[in-house]
Amino acid sequence: MYNPFSLQDKTILVTGASSGIGKAIAIESSKMGARVIISGRNEERLKETFSLLEGDNNEYLIADLSIQEELKELYKGVPDLDGLVNCAGVVKTLPFTFATRESFEDVLDVNFFAPAELTRLLVKSKKIKKGGSIVFISSITGVFCSIVAQSVYASSKGAINGLVKGIALDLAPKGIRVNSVNPGMVETEILQESVVTEEQLNEDRKRYPLGGRYGKPEEVAYATIYLLSDASTWTTGSNILIDGGYTLL
């Protein structure tokens, strides 16, 4: 049956696949027929994701992308790719007056410099095939809006937005598409580790017009699959907003 959203015969690398959105993207991509290469820092969690992938030709590679040597080992170890999903990232909540240069560097190293360098190395070595797709998992924060005490995180995602636009232009002659997905709050393990109470989270969920809830990791994965698939062959330099209507208010 014809399906323009199929990822059959495509090889996709997903970073940050050990939990949350990256985990969902990896699993859903495998369900759509892709051979999935997953990467993350936590081996135990990464193996859990790997066990949930469909198909028998998938791989997992342990790498901390904030460490240059491990980033280079990852890029050298992956096969030629039809798609790259840069999902690895960290969140830091810190009022701007307490934000030091070090705190900015810590977040930018993971959220901006690591995916930028990994993408550059893969493109330069021609490991992204012609007609391939690069997707950055960004955020509404720093692109469409911001949140109190999120200036550090917002800066990293705003930088990703500019990077996407620039790379998209540079790689258009090669037929390689570059886009981002910009989710609002999503129900992931990060919320369980938060200092914010469940009561406060429930109040915040009410600010999302569509259903009064946060998003699901799978909902971000579906948008990512669109960008990885041949259904988006004329889409590049775009930011797909998935926020349940949050930024409408």
Side-chain angles (χ1 to χ4, degrees):
M1 182 182 295
Y2 172 68
N3 180 4
F5 299 93
S6 172
L7 299 181
Q8 195 69 41
D9 300 323
K10 293 184 184 292
T11 300
I12 309 294
L13 170 62
V14 183
T15 70
S18 55
S19 63
I21 293 172
K23 179 178 181 179
I25 291 170
I27 293 170
E28 296 302 320
S29 293
S30 74
K31 290 179 181 178
M32 295 301 290
R35 174 194 181 192
V36 183
I37 316 297
I38 58 173
S39 172
R41 294 181 296 180
N42 188 307
E43 184 172 4
E44 182 179 349
R45 288 183 178 181
L46 199 62
K47 285 183 176 179
E48 180 184 344
T49 301
F50 185 76
S51 71
L52 298 172
L53 300 178
E54 294 192 5
D56 55 9
N57 200 24
N58 306 303
E59 297 180 47
Y60 73 88
L61 298 167
I62 308 299
D64 183 341
L65 300 185
S66 65
I67 300 173
Q68 188 71 5
E69 293 76 16
E70 294 189 24
L71 186 152
K72 287 183 177 179
E73 285 301 313
L74 173 63
Y75 118 79
K76 291 177 182 178
V78 299
D80 289 349
L81 301 170
D82 299 284
L84 165 65
V85 182
N86 289 300
C87 190
V90 295
V91 178
K92 183 181 286 290
T93 300
L94 189 67
F96 178 68
T97 51
F98 296 98
T100 62
R101 183 185 181 93
E102 183 180 10
S103 62
F104 274 97
E105 289 176 348
D106 287 345
V107 174
L108 283 163
D109 274 347
V110 178
N111 290 3
F112 177 77
F113 289 114
E117 179 66 359
L118 177 61
T119 301
R120 187 188 70 82
L121 289 171
L122 289 170
V123 170
K124 188 174 182 180
S125 62
K126 298 182 179 179
K127 283 195 171 185
I128 305 288
K129 297 178 185 177
K130 185 172 183 178
S133 174
I134 300 170
V135 183
F136 290 82
I137 304 304
S138 185
S139 174
I140 59 173
T141 304
V143 180
F144 295 96
C145 63
S146 195
I147 303 171
V148 173
Q150 290 288 332
S151 61
V152 176
Y153 177 71
S155 297
S156 69
K157 294 304 184 180
I160 284 293
N161 185 55
L163 182 68
V164 165
K165 304 294 187 187
I167 302 176
L169 278 175
D170 285 352
L171 299 187
K174 301 179 184 293
I176 297 174
R177 312 185 310 282
V178 187
N179 298 282
S180 72
V181 176
N182 302 75
M185 285 290 288
V186 176
E187 297 282 358
T188 66
E189 294 88 343
I190 291 177
L191 294 183
Q192 298 170 10
E193 302 165 1
S194 172
V195 295
V196 179
T197 66
E198 187 62 29
E199 182 180 2
Q200 290 171 317
L201 288 173
N202 284 333
E203 280 301 309
D204 189 57
R205 289 183 179 101
K206 294 176 184 177
R207 301 171 66 188
Y208 286 76
L210 198 58
R213 65 172 177 86
Y214 291 157
K216 301 173 184 178
E218 292 78 12
E219 291 170 320
V220 182
Y222 301 148
T224 305
I225 286 170
Y226 159 71
L227 292 173
L228 292 170
S229 74
D230 292 343
S232 62
T233 51
W234 209 48
T235 303
T236 198
S238 71
N239 311 108
I240 295 187
L241 176 63
I242 305 178
D243 71 343
Y246 179 88
T247 54
L248 293 172
L249 299 178

